[in-house]
Amino acid sequence: MDKSSVIFGNPMPKKVVKSAQRSQKKYRKKYGDDSKANYQIGFVPIETLDFLGASNIVFKEKSEPFEDNALIVGNIRMGFGHYRISIAMASAARALGYKPYWLDLASFDATGSKMIREQNDMYSLASRISQKSKLFNKLVWEPLNCEGFKKISYNAKDQANSELLVPIFANIDKDIPYIATHVWPSQGAIHAGMTHVVNAVPDNWPMALHLSEGAIHTVQTPYAYMGYKMLNGFDKKPLKGLKEEDLKMVGCFVDHELLVNLEQDNQARIDRALNDKPLRILMTVGGAGAGFKQFLEMVKHLLPYVEQKKVALFINFGDHKTVYEKMIAKLGKIECHTFFDEYEKLKEFQKKMQQEDVEGIYCIYNQNIFEAVYSTNLLMPVTDLLVTKPSELVYYPIPKLFMRHIGGHEVYGAIHGREFGDATWECPDKKSANLMLDTLVNDREIIVHMANEINKLKASGYYNGAYECVKLAVSGRK
């Protein structure tokens, strides 16, 4: 179905439509035309997410039936963010009585999957270049992420390209509730005729990149709601915006497991702060591996605090062992505890952290993508401060220090976090970040304040977005 010519009642110029059609044709020529393929699907348990009973959808010789209470989470691997949000949706689905199925559209040997992988590779490369070249970042990367992806004409090309994903859905029941945590899985599902599609929008900065006409768009913040309601700034002229049936503000996308004992976790943070226990700092390396220079400077700055037993430092390198090796090469030999492909051992240590004091440095790496992503989730309830760029983790219930953003769209996540009281403002350079670290280490009242604000936010329903997405997907359009 053509969704490139008219987007939410806004006609696209002929040259935009032709450009979109050329893009789709290019990928068909490059990766083959599988529009007539009859891909059979089956399921493989995701061992890391065994507590959710989640199954991965894969190609098999003969299709297998879905369970009656199935809910599909459509996603792609692009950094860690979309996987993390997907885990939150699967968690909420399980908590509400549904069987979560994981559909990574980039993982198949299919034309649409190859298209996604190519675009993801280009995005990751550009993200890394932006951290090395100030000129590229200023002239190309920041404007593209902030304004380029915002233009409504950009959506036309994505809509055309996402038609290539339709064959993957050939043997998926069209009425199964479906939540997409990236726009391509949402667009692909709509093109394939799925009837209960929720498009979970990850960012606070409204962009046409995230539009998937035919789906229910769920946003986490009032700012995003207003931006999509009016399609504000998506074109030089005023546009028709989204109707209420197409757009819902639901709150933050957070796992059930992180919410169920949140008040107790915050009380533990407060107790550690008031009793001058080492501040447990969790640092995350993003899936694209960007931001290394500032990351390294912050680790250097924290080493004396670790020696003085004022800080216990946890660093999740995700599936980027090379970043760990770069850090060690720059710092020289440091004494640290390692959990390298030792996820079960990390789980046992996390239980120990609930009862005992810890000190020192802990480095975590997992080749398995689910273990790499979920190690951060696992450690959030037992740590006091999360150091992260203002990405999907903006919306998670833990005190946060924001490093410099990667891409202009992340700026508005940082603004949201600081306004809602559970995070610092964005610290874009060595001086500001290290000053903030000094303040948080030495003035524990700030951690206490953030923990109390998080409790208030939970009581208001602020973190219930994932549950609401599940409810919308099950009920469909109303």
Side-chain angles (χ1 to χ4, degrees), residues 254-262 265 377-378 380-381 396-397:
V254 179
D255 312 54
H256 173 74
E257 288 72 25
L258 294 176
L259 295 176
V260 66
N261 294 314
L262 181 57
D265 296 338
N377 291 45
L378 192 66
M380 272 193 266
Y396 278 70

Side-chain angles (χ1 to χ4, degrees), residues 352-416:
K352 183 179 177 181
M353 290 174 65
Q354 297 175 29
Q355 307 296 330
E356 301 177 15
D357 294 340
V358 292
E359 56 188 51
I361 302 174
Y362 301 82
C363 296
I364 300 116
Y365 156 81
N366 288 282
Q367 186 176 10
N368 179 289
I369 179 60
F370 293 104
E371 294 174 358
V373 173
Y374 204 76
S375 290
T376 293
N377 291 45
L378 192 66
L379 290 170
M380 272 193 266
V382 293
T383 49
D384 302 318
L385 178 70
L386 177 66
V387 177
T388 178
K389 69 188 183 75
S391 56
E392 84 287 348
L393 287 166
V394 163
Y395 308 99
Y396 278 70
I398 178 174
K400 294 169 286 289
L401 186 160
F402 291 139
M403 300 167 56
R404 190 186 189 284
H405 65 272
I406 310 295
H409 60 294
E410 290 185 347
V411 171
Y412 296 86
I415 292 171
H416 179 81

Side-chain angles (χ1 to χ4, degrees), residues 303 307 324 327-336 361:
L303 290 179
E307 292 175 4
Y324 165 78
M327 186 188 81
I328 294 301
K330 295 286 186 181
L331 294 178
K333 188 175 181 180
I334 59 171
E335 185 177 342
C336 66
I361 302 174

Side-chain angles (χ1 to χ4, degrees), residues 28-84:
R28 285 196 192 278
K29 183 177 181 180
K30 186 172 184 178
Y31 295 122
D33 185 351
D34 64 352
S35 58
K36 304 298 183 184
N38 186 26
Y39 294 123
Q40 305 293 303
I41 59 165
F43 317 116
V44 177
I46 303 174
E47 298 299 335
T48 305
L49 306 181
D50 57 353
F51 59 97
L52 300 180
S55 293
N56 195 22
I57 298 175
V58 298
F59 285 167
K60 287 195 172 182
E61 291 185 2
K62 184 179 179 181
S63 283
E64 301 171 4
F66 287 88
E67 293 188 20
D68 291 340
N69 63 339
L71 184 144
I72 298 173
V73 181
N75 58 69
I76 64 169
R77 163 76 193 272
M78 180 175 277
F80 286 174
H82 300 285
Y83 258 39
R84 195 182 315 283

Side-chain angles (χ1 to χ4, degrees), residues 8 74 81-82 85 89 179-183 186 198-213 215-221 223-225 227-228 234 242 246-253 391-392 395 409 465 469:
F8 286 105
H82 300 285
I85 298 170
M89 298 302 176
I179 302 173
T181 60
H182 185 281
V183 71
S186 179
V198 167
N199 176 31
V201 179
D203 290 323
N204 194 31
W205 176 240
M207 296 187 288
L209 169 71
H210 296 305
L211 293 176
S212 176
E213 189 166 2
I216 301 173
H217 296 66
T218 55
V219 296
Q220 301 179 84
T221 70
Y223 182 74
Y225 174 86
Y228 286 106
F234 285 43
L242 275 63
D246 299 314
L247 178 65
K248 308 290 181 182
M249 189 180 78
V250 296
C252 300
F253 307 144
S391 56
E392 84 287 348
Y395 308 99
H409 60 294
C469 286

